[in-house]
Amino acid sequence: KSVPNTDGTRTDTWKMDLPHAPYLFMMAIGEFKVVKDKAWKGKEVSYYMEPAFEKYAKRIFGNTPEMIDFFSKTLGVDYVWPKYSQVIVRDYVSGAMENTTATLHGEFLNKTDREMLDGDQEEVIAHELFHQWFGDLVTCESWSNLTVNESFANFSQVMWAEHKYSRDEGDFMNYRDMQNYIQSGSENKDLARFYYADKEDMFDAVSYQKGGRILYMLRNYLGKEAFYKGLNIYLTQNRFKTGEAHQLRLALEEASGKDLNWFFNQWYFGNGHPKLDVNYSYDDAAKKATVIVKQTQKNKLFAMPVAIDIYEDGKKVRHNVWIHHAADTFSFSYTSKPDLINFDADKMLLCEKKENKTADNYVFQYKNAPLFLDRREALEGLKNSQGNAAARATLISALKDKFFRLRAGAIIRLDVKNENVKSEAASLLEEAALKDPEALVRAEAITALDKFKDAKYEAVFRKALSDQSYTVLGRALTALNNLKVKDINALAEKFEKDNKGALTTALVNIAVSNNDVSKLPGIVKILDELPIQGFEDINLRGNIAKLTGISDDAASTEKVVDHLKDIARRFGRFGVTPLMQNQLKTIADGKKAQLDAATDEAKKKSLQSQMEYAQKAIEEIKGYKE
């Protein structure tokens, strides 16, 4: 409750009569507007917003009541806490945090309707909400068992995407996360691990992305009914207590009647992942197809149930097999040579895979195998065969794929140096650039046309400048800059008052490419509003550093240097300090070059001071490390 007092103060009282882990307590204080959504079973659902973003609250968080209902019904365990609030705050370096009854989100969730045309952050909203069950209702027994918190929250993003949007969207998230894990270099880490230097070491691509993919495999192996029944048992038996991986195993065994020690020993209490070399051969005389699967990873073999689909004479036949050995061979009889053998037909394995499929196999796979990863694999397999008419036609046909991420992926894979590709795909790319309903596809189509380096597409780029997507606008301006149109500065200036994301990046890049130091003071004004979400943002700051280096504006230089120092201070534990030092060196080197060429004494004195200011900052941030 909230009670105004006679002396102008206010007394707020909170009551929590349900037990929870101490680290799940949070208090946020700020000038918030409270937006109340539809209650869920009488429980308040509300969003605490900065005043400027109040009107976007329902667009950002509006699916929350449906999410609560979906997760409650799927798990068979109702959302237990007395309310659910979500709060967006500034300067929060850990993304988001699942405090009981009130999730904390970083400022990256503050987005206008226009910004959300380029993608929202709904998966983060689902992730933190699911923690109210896995992490809050049942909390990991120790950081060693963080998987029973974070792997489930990661998995929930896929659950929600499948439910709300499509199987394709869920599969895309799953594949993206698997690649994030594989590229993280974490092969030597167990999922549940009992030795680590610092608890922060547990918050990695193994606990999150790999763990989520492992749950996806487990759901496929057990079936959805048994899998979710097992989760219900785990949550019910350990309600308001702690849990660990073995308790999860026992609950899933109780629900399914299957021994899962082999699975948990391999995936939870072991490390690494399979690296598979899959070869197909056909003996037309014997009417027999052979699939040879070799595990090429070192030190360990995996046991895996795998579905193999064989497409023959317009029919698909499934064979369920197990892989156990360094090399496993499977033989199948056929009447006519199969058009395709689809290994891991459910696309469930957490693995790296090589196959010896032909272009004809991939053409057939794209047209006939149903899943996102079937089609994605086919497009990737055809990428280097664009001299083949059928392969090229398949890639170009994917510009009309039902799933927008595959339409964008097909555009990215087009060989724009191939004259046949240019002539056959150009009209579709023009159409996509201006008419596709998804901003991502429009943006990639503009970039593809930009690569043609042909002035006849200038009209397309100019039309795209009326788009509402910041990403599309940024790509169109970049394309026009690459064509060296005479009015590029005038075009860019139209967007200086309202730019975000890729449009901001484009404006900075245009200024850098044209050595237009007059733009630096305007850029400095938006520095503190720029997010830190990945290397794209780091690279943007690198370009700002280049522009600063060739400028002699002392006031702007000082502000850019201070900004880079602050980034190192705030995010040094994520490894950005060396990058900031490089950018500061870019500034210092630029000032040194100007100093060497200068003749005016006053200017030389100013440049000397600016150079020393940047050099001093390089030394100051050395302590901001991971």
Side-chain angles (χ1 to χ4, degrees):
K1 62 181 179 179
S2 183
V3 180
N5 301 316
T6 56
D7 61 358
T9 63
R10 188 182 78 209
T11 300
D12 290 343
T13 304
W14 290 266
K15 177 182 178 181
M16 169 59 81
D17 54 10
L18 300 174
H20 69 148
Y23 79 91
L24 296 171
F25 172 86
M26 174 275 295
M27 181 179 288
I29 301 172
E31 295 289 341
F32 295 115
K33 295 290 186 180
V34 183
V35 178
K36 293 187 178 182
D37 208 334
K38 178 183 177 183
W40 186 79
K41 292 190 174 181
K43 297 182 178 185
E44 179 183 311
V45 178
S46 56
Y47 318 124
Y48 286 67
M49 312 295 296
E50 293 178 21
F53 292 92
E54 178 186 11
K55 63 183 177 181
Y56 306 113
K58 293 283 185 75
R59 175 69 174 83
I60 296 168
F61 292 116
N63 283 328
T64 301
E66 184 184 343
M67 282 185 192
I68 296 174
D69 196 62
F70 168 65
F71 289 146
S72 295
K73 288 177 178 176
T74 301
L75 296 169
V77 177
D78 275 358
Y79 177 84
V80 69
W81 310 103
K83 69 172 180 69
Y84 189 57
S85 300
Q86 295 179 85
V87 191
I88 301 178
V89 300
R90 298 270 171 167
D91 296 331
Y92 187 62
V93 299
S94 297
M97 178 62 205
E98 66 275 12
N99 314 289
T100 46
T101 79
T103 283
L104 193 71
H105 292 287
E107 64 202 82
F108 64 90
L109 222 57
N110 275 334
K111 289 193 173 185
T112 65
D113 289 343
R114 279 192 71 183
E115 288 177 275
M116 284 183 277
L117 292 174
D118 295 319
D120 55 33
Q121 299 290 335
E122 195 169 71
E123 60 190 284
V124 177
I125 295 169
H127 179 114
E128 302 306 329
L129 172 59
F130 206 65
H131 270 312
Q132 301 292 322
W133 287 267
F134 289 89
D136 294 9
L137 180 58
V138 182
T139 304
C140 60
E141 179 271 337
S142 66
W143 297 124
S144 295
N145 277 278
L146 185 62
T147 177
V148 298
N149 286 21
E150 297 299 349
S151 300
F152 277 100
N154 180 273
F155 175 67
S156 75
Q157 300 167 199
V158 175
M159 289 172 60
W160 174 249
E162 290 176 337
H163 165 76
K164 184 65 176 176
Y165 301 107
S166 67
R167 168 74 186 270
D168 279 351
E169 183 68 15
D171 285 352
F172 160 76
M173 287 184 178
N174 232 320
Y175 178 78
R176 177 201 62 192
D177 286 352
M178 182 175 74
Q179 294 307 310
N180 286 342
Y181 152 69
I182 289 171
Q183 293 165 17
S184 71
S186 304
E187 286 188 51
N188 295 325
K189 296 179 180 179
D190 296 351
L191 181 56
R193 70 196 92 123
F194 300 94
Y195 302 96
Y196 48 83
D198 186 275
K199 69 180 185 300
E200 297 297 329
D201 296 343
M202 291 298 300
F203 291 82
D204 61 10
V206 177
S207 295
Y208 286 72
Q209 286 90 345
K210 183 181 183 183
R213 179 70 177 193
I214 287 169
L215 288 170
Y216 197 55
M217 285 195 297
L218 191 53
R219 187 183 70 172
N220 187 66
Y221 174 63
L222 295 177
K224 288 185 179 181
E225 183 177 354
F227 177 78
Y228 288 123
K229 178 60 177 176
L231 300 193
N232 176 282
I233 293 170
Y234 169 80
L235 290 170
T236 303
Q237 290 180 345
N238 301 292
R239 184 182 179 92
F240 298 123
K241 297 188 291 187
T242 60
E244 58 180 85
H246 280 305
Q247 289 167 306
L248 176 63
R249 173 182 60 82
L250 291 169
L252 289 165
E253 287 182 340
E254 181 179 338
S256 67
K258 293 184 178 182
D259 173 25
L260 294 175
N261 273 296
W262 68 273
F263 187 94
F264 276 74
N265 288 340
Q266 179 172 278
W267 291 110
Y268 279 79
F269 304 108
N271 57 37
H273 58 273
K275 297 178 181 179
L276 305 179
D277 190 353
V278 184
N279 282 278
Y280 308 97
S281 63
Y282 305 88
D283 185 340
D284 287 333
K287 300 293 184 182
K288 185 171 289 187
T290 302
V291 182
I292 301 174
V293 184
K294 294 180 180 178
Q295 298 193 45
T296 62
Q297 71 279 359
K298 296 179 180 179
N299 304 323
K300 159 179 198 178
L301 295 175
F302 286 82
M304 295 166 283
V306 182
I308 298 177
D309 284 351
I310 298 182
Y311 291 78
E312 179 186 350
D313 288 336
K315 296 180 181 178
K316 180 180 74 174
V317 177
R318 171 157 294 190
H319 301 270
N320 292 305
V321 302
W322 277 79
I323 295 170
H324 292 280
H325 308 102
D328 287 288
T329 301
F330 308 99
S331 295
F332 309 97
S333 297
Y334 62 79
T335 303
S336 59
K337 184 178 178 180
D339 296 295
L340 174 70
I341 299 178
N342 194 7
F343 175 83
D344 185 22
D346 287 332
K347 297 295 177 282
M348 287 290 156
L349 294 183
L350 195 170
C351 69
E352 294 179 71
K353 180 178 64 171
K354 295 180 181 178
E355 297 178 278
N356 71 329
K357 288 178 180 174
T358 65
D360 286 344
N361 291 150
Y362 283 126
V363 168
F364 185 90
Q365 180 170 320
Y366 178 80
K367 294 177 180 178
N368 296 277
L371 302 179
F372 159 75
L373 276 176
D374 289 320
R375 304 189 324 272
R376 188 197 178 280
E377 275 184 6
L379 296 180
E380 184 65 19
L382 295 170
K383 182 175 67 175
N384 296 322
S385 302
Q386 294 182 48
N388 177 310
R392 188 168 64 249
T394 301
L395 272 165
I396 293 172
S397 73
L399 300 181
K400 295 287 189 179
D401 194 279
K402 65 178 182 178
F403 186 40
F404 75 97
R405 297 190 190 278
L406 281 177
R407 297 199 298 276
I411 293 171
I412 292 169
R413 290 177 176 84
L414 288 177
D415 179 7
V416 297
K417 295 180 181 179
N418 183 305
E419 291 300 323
N420 288 322
V421 169
K422 290 172 71 172
S423 63
E424 295 168 19
S427 61
L428 288 174
L429 288 172
E430 288 187 59
E431 181 183 358
L434 299 174
K435 296 181 179 179
D436 194 278
E438 293 289 340
L440 175 65
V441 181
R442 299 197 299 276
E444 294 299 348
I446 288 170
T447 297
L449 292 171
D450 181 17
K451 291 177 182 177
F452 286 174
K453 302 184 185 304
D454 193 328
K456 73 179 183 180
Y457 298 111
E458 179 182 338
V460 175
F461 304 147
R462 288 185 181 273
K463 284 181 182 178
L465 292 180
S466 62
D467 204 290
Q468 286 297 297
S469 159
Y470 290 118
T471 298
V472 173
L473 290 172
R475 300 287 183 92
L477 275 178
T478 299
L480 289 166
N481 188 53
N482 290 338
L483 287 178
K484 302 189 184 306
V485 298
K486 293 180 179 180
D487 60 341
I488 187 62
N489 289 330
L491 292 172
E493 285 173 4
K494 293 179 181 179
F495 300 102
E496 288 181 356
K497 291 184 179 179
D498 180 11
N499 59 85
K500 300 285 185 182
L503 179 54
T504 304
T505 300
L507 294 176
V508 172
N509 292 346
I510 288 169
V512 171
S513 68
N514 295 320
N515 294 327
D516 188 356
V517 295
S518 69
K519 301 299 183 188
L520 186 59
I523 291 169
V524 165
K525 291 179 181 178
I526 66 169
L527 271 179
D528 291 334
E529 296 298 317
L530 295 179
I532 286 285
Q533 294 181 32
F535 282 99
E536 181 178 343
D537 301 311
I538 297 295
N539 291 337
L540 170 59
R541 286 171 172 82
N543 278 335
I544 294 173
K546 289 178 185 177
L547 197 62
T548 306
I550 63 173
S551 165
D552 63 2
D553 182 339
S556 293
T557 297
E558 185 173 326
K559 289 177 181 177
V560 173
V561 169
D562 288 347
H563 174 78
L564 297 178
K565 283 168 56 179
D566 191 52
I567 294 297
R569 177 186 63 81
R570 292 165 59 200
F571 300 96
R573 66 192 182 96
F574 297 110
V576 304
T577 299
L579 297 169
M580 295 301 100
Q581 288 178 312
N582 287 337
Q583 292 175 9
L584 288 166
K585 185 176 185 300
T586 296
I587 295 173
D589 290 347
K591 302 300 179 182
K592 176 67 164 58
Q594 288 191 72
L595 182 61
D596 290 343
T599 56
D600 180 82
E601 288 302 318
K603 184 175 182 178
K604 288 173 70 174
K605 184 177 180 180
S606 175
L607 288 168
Q608 178 75 31
S609 177
Q610 293 173 51
M611 179 183 71
E612 290 175 354
Y613 196 76
Q615 290 171 335
K616 183 181 177 182
I618 294 172
E619 295 301 314
E620 288 178 359
I621 68 174
K622 278 185 177 179
Y624 301 138
K625 297 179 180 178
E626 288 183 273

PDB file of all heavy atoms in Angstrom, residues 11 26 86 158 194 232 251 292 319-320 327 335 357 416 459 462 578 620 624:
ATOM      1  N   THR A  11       4.536   6.974   2.741  1.00  0.00           N
ATOM      2  CA  THR A  11       4.976   5.685   3.296  1.00  0.00           C
ATOM      3  C   THR A  11       4.461   4.552   2.418  1.00  0.00           C
ATOM      4  O   THR A  11       3.247   4.409   2.228  1.00  0.00           O
ATOM      5  CB  THR A  11       4.446   5.501   4.727  1.00  0.00           C
ATOM      6  OG1 THR A  11       4.949   6.558   5.548  1.00  0.00           O
ATOM      7  CG2 THR A  11       4.905   4.154   5.288  1.00  0.00           C
ATOM      8  N   MET A  26      14.657  -7.013  -4.584  1.00  0.00           N
ATOM      9  CA  MET A  26      15.119  -5.818  -5.297  1.00  0.00           C
ATOM     10  C   MET A  26      14.220  -4.647  -4.926  1.00  0.00           C
ATOM     11  O   MET A  26      13.031  -4.815  -4.692  1.00  0.00           O
ATOM     12  CB  MET A  26      15.067  -6.069  -6.808  1.00  0.00           C
ATOM     13  CG  MET A  26      15.377  -4.864  -7.689  1.00  0.00           C
ATOM     14  SD  MET A  26      13.963  -3.792  -8.032  1.00  0.00           S
ATOM     15  CE  MET A  26      12.894  -4.866  -8.980  1.00  0.00           C
ATOM     16  N   GLN A  86       7.063  -5.316 -14.070  1.00  0.00           N
ATOM     17  CA  GLN A  86       8.318  -5.239 -14.816  1.00  0.00           C
ATOM     18  C   GLN A  86       8.782  -3.791 -14.814  1.00  0.00           C
ATOM     19  O   GLN A  86       7.987  -2.880 -15.065  1.00  0.00           O
ATOM     20  CB  GLN A  86       8.144  -5.770 -16.236  1.00  0.00           C
ATOM     21  CG  GLN A  86       7.820  -7.271 -16.249  1.00  0.00           C
ATOM     22  CD  GLN A  86       7.624  -7.829 -17.635  1.00  0.00           C
ATOM     23  OE1 GLN A  86       8.573  -8.201 -18.305  1.00  0.00           O
ATOM     24  NE2 GLN A  86       6.385  -7.897 -18.073  1.00  0.00           N
ATOM     25  N   VAL A 158      12.128 -20.328 -26.570  1.00  0.00           N
ATOM     26  CA  VAL A 158      11.708 -21.174 -27.685  1.00  0.00           C
ATOM     27  C   VAL A 158      10.251 -21.594 -27.506  1.00  0.00           C
ATOM     28  O   VAL A 158       9.458 -21.564 -28.455  1.00  0.00           O
ATOM     29  CB  VAL A 158      12.626 -22.403 -27.804  1.00  0.00           C
ATOM     30  CG1 VAL A 158      12.118 -23.357 -28.881  1.00  0.00           C
ATOM     31  CG2 VAL A 158      14.061 -21.973 -28.104  1.00  0.00           C
ATOM     32  N   PHE A 194      31.243 -28.109 -10.588  1.00  0.00           N
ATOM     33  CA  PHE A 194      31.419 -27.869  -9.158  1.00  0.00           C
ATOM     34  C   PHE A 194      32.716 -27.149  -8.826  1.00  0.00           C
ATOM     35  O   PHE A 194      33.031 -26.938  -7.662  1.00  0.00           O
ATOM     36  CB  PHE A 194      31.329 -29.198  -8.417  1.00  0.00           C
ATOM     37  CG  PHE A 194      30.002 -29.866  -8.626  1.00  0.00           C
ATOM     38  CD1 PHE A 194      29.826 -30.811  -9.635  1.00  0.00           C
ATOM     39  CD2 PHE A 194      28.896 -29.504  -7.880  1.00  0.00           C
ATOM     40  CE1 PHE A 194      28.588 -31.405  -9.860  1.00  0.00           C
ATOM     41  CE2 PHE A 194      27.664 -30.085  -8.095  1.00  0.00           C
ATOM     42  CZ  PHE A 194      27.500 -31.044  -9.085  1.00  0.00           C
ATOM     43  N   ASN A 232       6.449 -30.538 -14.070  1.00  0.00           N
ATOM     44  CA  ASN A 232       5.427 -30.328 -13.047  1.00  0.00           C
ATOM     45  C   ASN A 232       5.824 -31.016 -11.737  1.00  0.00           C
ATOM     46  O   ASN A 232       5.707 -30.435 -10.653  1.00  0.00           O
ATOM     47  CB  ASN A 232       4.088 -30.865 -13.553  1.00  0.00           C
ATOM     48  CG  ASN A 232       2.991 -30.764 -12.512  1.00  0.00           C
ATOM     49  OD1 ASN A 232       2.913 -31.569 -11.599  1.00  0.00           O
ATOM     50  ND2 ASN A 232       2.140 -29.761 -12.651  1.00  0.00           N
ATOM     51  N   ALA A 251      12.622 -36.491 -11.424  1.00  0.00           N
ATOM     52  CA  ALA A 251      11.256 -36.097 -11.765  1.00  0.00           C
ATOM     53  C   ALA A 251      10.903 -36.515 -13.185  1.00  0.00           C
ATOM     54  O   ALA A 251       9.799 -37.016 -13.447  1.00  0.00           O
ATOM     55  CB  ALA A 251      11.101 -34.584 -11.600  1.00  0.00           C
ATOM     56  N   ILE A 292      26.721 -43.581 -43.247  1.00  0.00           N
ATOM     57  CA  ILE A 292      27.838 -43.798 -42.328  1.00  0.00           C
ATOM     58  C   ILE A 292      28.026 -42.532 -41.504  1.00  0.00           C
ATOM     59  O   ILE A 292      28.238 -41.446 -42.043  1.00  0.00           O
ATOM     60  CB  ILE A 292      29.139 -44.136 -43.077  1.00  0.00           C
ATOM     61  CG1 ILE A 292      28.952 -45.398 -43.923  1.00  0.00           C
ATOM     62  CG2 ILE A 292      30.295 -44.320 -42.096  1.00  0.00           C
ATOM     63  CD1 ILE A 292      30.137 -45.717 -44.807  1.00  0.00           C
ATOM     64  N   HIS A 319      13.026 -43.750 -40.125  1.00  0.00           N
ATOM     65  CA  HIS A 319      13.739 -44.805 -39.409  1.00  0.00           C
ATOM     66  C   HIS A 319      14.360 -44.194 -38.156  1.00  0.00           C
ATOM     67  O   HIS A 319      15.101 -43.211 -38.245  1.00  0.00           O
ATOM     68  CB  HIS A 319      14.839 -45.407 -40.280  1.00  0.00           C
ATOM     69  CG  HIS A 319      14.335 -45.994 -41.566  1.00  0.00           C
ATOM     70  ND1 HIS A 319      13.931 -47.312 -41.691  1.00  0.00           N
ATOM     71  CD2 HIS A 319      14.145 -45.428 -42.792  1.00  0.00           C
ATOM     72  CE1 HIS A 319      13.539 -47.532 -42.925  1.00  0.00           C
ATOM     73  NE2 HIS A 319      13.648 -46.409 -43.618  1.00  0.00           N
ATOM     74  N   ASN A 320      14.052 -44.746 -36.994  1.00  0.00           N
ATOM     75  CA  ASN A 320      14.627 -44.275 -35.732  1.00  0.00           C
ATOM     76  C   ASN A 320      15.793 -45.176 -35.339  1.00  0.00           C
ATOM     77  O   ASN A 320      15.623 -46.393 -35.198  1.00  0.00           O
ATOM     78  CB  ASN A 320      13.566 -44.269 -34.631  1.00  0.00           C
ATOM     79  CG  ASN A 320      12.491 -43.221 -34.889  1.00  0.00           C
ATOM     80  OD1 ASN A 320      12.792 -42.044 -35.054  1.00  0.00           O
ATOM     81  ND2 ASN A 320      11.235 -43.648 -34.936  1.00  0.00           N
ATOM     82  N   ALA A 327      32.076 -44.912 -35.302  1.00  0.00           N
ATOM     83  CA  ALA A 327      31.484 -44.979 -36.644  1.00  0.00           C
ATOM     84  C   ALA A 327      30.294 -45.929 -36.595  1.00  0.00           C
ATOM     85  O   ALA A 327      30.415 -47.057 -36.128  1.00  0.00           O
ATOM     86  CB  ALA A 327      32.500 -45.455 -37.671  1.00  0.00           C
ATOM     87  N   THR A 335      13.505 -49.122 -53.679  1.00  0.00           N
ATOM     88  CA  THR A 335      13.048 -49.569 -54.994  1.00  0.00           C
ATOM     89  C   THR A 335      13.643 -48.687 -56.074  1.00  0.00           C
ATOM     90  O   THR A 335      14.157 -49.161 -57.090  1.00  0.00           O
ATOM     91  CB  THR A 335      11.508 -49.533 -55.061  1.00  0.00           C
ATOM     92  OG1 THR A 335      10.984 -50.356 -54.014  1.00  0.00           O
ATOM     93  CG2 THR A 335      11.021 -50.062 -56.401  1.00  0.00           C
ATOM     94  N   LYS A 357      26.078 -34.244 -49.208  1.00  0.00           N
ATOM     95  CA  LYS A 357      24.914 -34.137 -50.072  1.00  0.00           C
ATOM     96  C   LYS A 357      25.266 -33.391 -51.355  1.00  0.00           C
ATOM     97  O   LYS A 357      26.145 -32.525 -51.371  1.00  0.00           O
ATOM     98  CB  LYS A 357      23.784 -33.393 -49.353  1.00  0.00           C
ATOM     99  CG  LYS A 357      23.125 -34.205 -48.244  1.00  0.00           C
ATOM    100  CD  LYS A 357      22.046 -33.393 -47.548  1.00  0.00           C
ATOM    101  CE  LYS A 357      21.390 -34.203 -46.436  1.00  0.00           C
ATOM    102  NZ  LYS A 357      20.437 -33.390 -45.649  1.00  0.00           N
ATOM    103  N   VAL A 416      26.209 -11.961 -55.664  1.00  0.00           N
ATOM    104  CA  VAL A 416      25.848 -10.812 -56.494  1.00  0.00           C
ATOM    105  C   VAL A 416      26.869 -10.553 -57.597  1.00  0.00           C
ATOM    106  O   VAL A 416      26.633  -9.719 -58.481  1.00  0.00           O
ATOM    107  CB  VAL A 416      25.679  -9.544 -55.633  1.00  0.00           C
ATOM    108  CG1 VAL A 416      24.525  -9.725 -54.655  1.00  0.00           C
ATOM    109  CG2 VAL A 416      26.968  -9.209 -54.866  1.00  0.00           C
ATOM    110  N   ALA A 459      17.117   5.096 -57.605  1.00  0.00           N
ATOM    111  CA  ALA A 459      15.706   5.421 -57.370  1.00  0.00           C
ATOM    112  C   ALA A 459      15.108   4.535 -56.275  1.00  0.00           C
ATOM    113  O   ALA A 459      14.292   5.005 -55.466  1.00  0.00           O
ATOM    114  CB  ALA A 459      14.917   5.261 -58.670  1.00  0.00           C
ATOM    115  N   ARG A 462      16.355   5.846 -52.946  1.00  0.00           N
ATOM    116  CA  ARG A 462      15.693   7.093 -52.565  1.00  0.00           C
ATOM    117  C   ARG A 462      14.257   6.830 -52.094  1.00  0.00           C
ATOM    118  O   ARG A 462      13.781   7.461 -51.140  1.00  0.00           O
ATOM    119  CB  ARG A 462      15.707   8.079 -53.732  1.00  0.00           C
ATOM    120  CG  ARG A 462      17.106   8.662 -54.001  1.00  0.00           C
ATOM    121  CD  ARG A 462      17.075   9.721 -55.084  1.00  0.00           C
ATOM    122  NE  ARG A 462      18.418  10.243 -55.330  1.00  0.00           N
ATOM    123  CZ  ARG A 462      18.976  11.250 -54.660  1.00  0.00           C
ATOM    124  NH1 ARG A 462      18.292  11.851 -53.695  1.00  0.00           N
ATOM    125  NH2 ARG A 462      20.186  11.673 -54.969  1.00  0.00           N
ATOM    126  N   PRO A 578      40.106  -3.411 -23.580  1.00  0.00           N
ATOM    127  CA  PRO A 578      41.097  -3.312 -24.664  1.00  0.00           C
ATOM    128  C   PRO A 578      40.544  -2.622 -25.912  1.00  0.00           C
ATOM    129  O   PRO A 578      41.277  -1.897 -26.600  1.00  0.00           O
ATOM    130  CB  PRO A 578      41.449  -4.780 -24.953  1.00  0.00           C
ATOM    131  CG  PRO A 578      41.134  -5.503 -23.687  1.00  0.00           C
ATOM    132  CD  PRO A 578      39.941  -4.802 -23.135  1.00  0.00           C
ATOM    133  N   GLU A 620      44.479   5.320 -17.581  1.00  0.00           N
ATOM    134  CA  GLU A 620      43.506   5.313 -16.491  1.00  0.00           C
ATOM    135  C   GLU A 620      42.601   4.097 -16.513  1.00  0.00           C
ATOM    136  O   GLU A 620      42.186   3.605 -15.464  1.00  0.00           O
ATOM    137  CB  GLU A 620      42.652   6.585 -16.549  1.00  0.00           C
ATOM    138  CG  GLU A 620      43.391   7.840 -16.129  1.00  0.00           C
ATOM    139  CD  GLU A 620      42.498   9.072 -16.246  1.00  0.00           C
ATOM    140  OE1 GLU A 620      41.332   8.920 -16.675  1.00  0.00           O
ATOM    141  OE2 GLU A 620      42.968  10.168 -15.923  1.00  0.00           O
ATOM    142  N   TYR A 624      40.299  -1.355 -15.482  1.00  0.00           N
ATOM    143  CA  TYR A 624      38.934  -1.826 -15.723  1.00  0.00           C
ATOM    144  C   TYR A 624      38.979  -3.092 -16.572  1.00  0.00           C
ATOM    145  O   TYR A 624      38.883  -3.050 -17.786  1.00  0.00           O
ATOM    146  CB  TYR A 624      38.111  -0.750 -16.430  1.00  0.00           C
ATOM    147  CG  TYR A 624      38.003   0.546 -15.661  1.00  0.00           C
ATOM    148  CD1 TYR A 624      38.128   1.764 -16.311  1.00  0.00           C
ATOM    149  CD2 TYR A 624      37.771   0.549 -14.296  1.00  0.00           C
ATOM    150  CE1 TYR A 624      38.021   2.965 -15.622  1.00  0.00           C
ATOM    151  CE2 TYR A 624      37.663   1.732 -13.595  1.00  0.00           C
ATOM    152  CZ  TYR A 624      37.790   2.937 -14.257  1.00  0.00           C
ATOM    153  OH  TYR A 624      37.685   4.113 -13.575  1.00  0.00           O
TER     154      TYR A 624
END
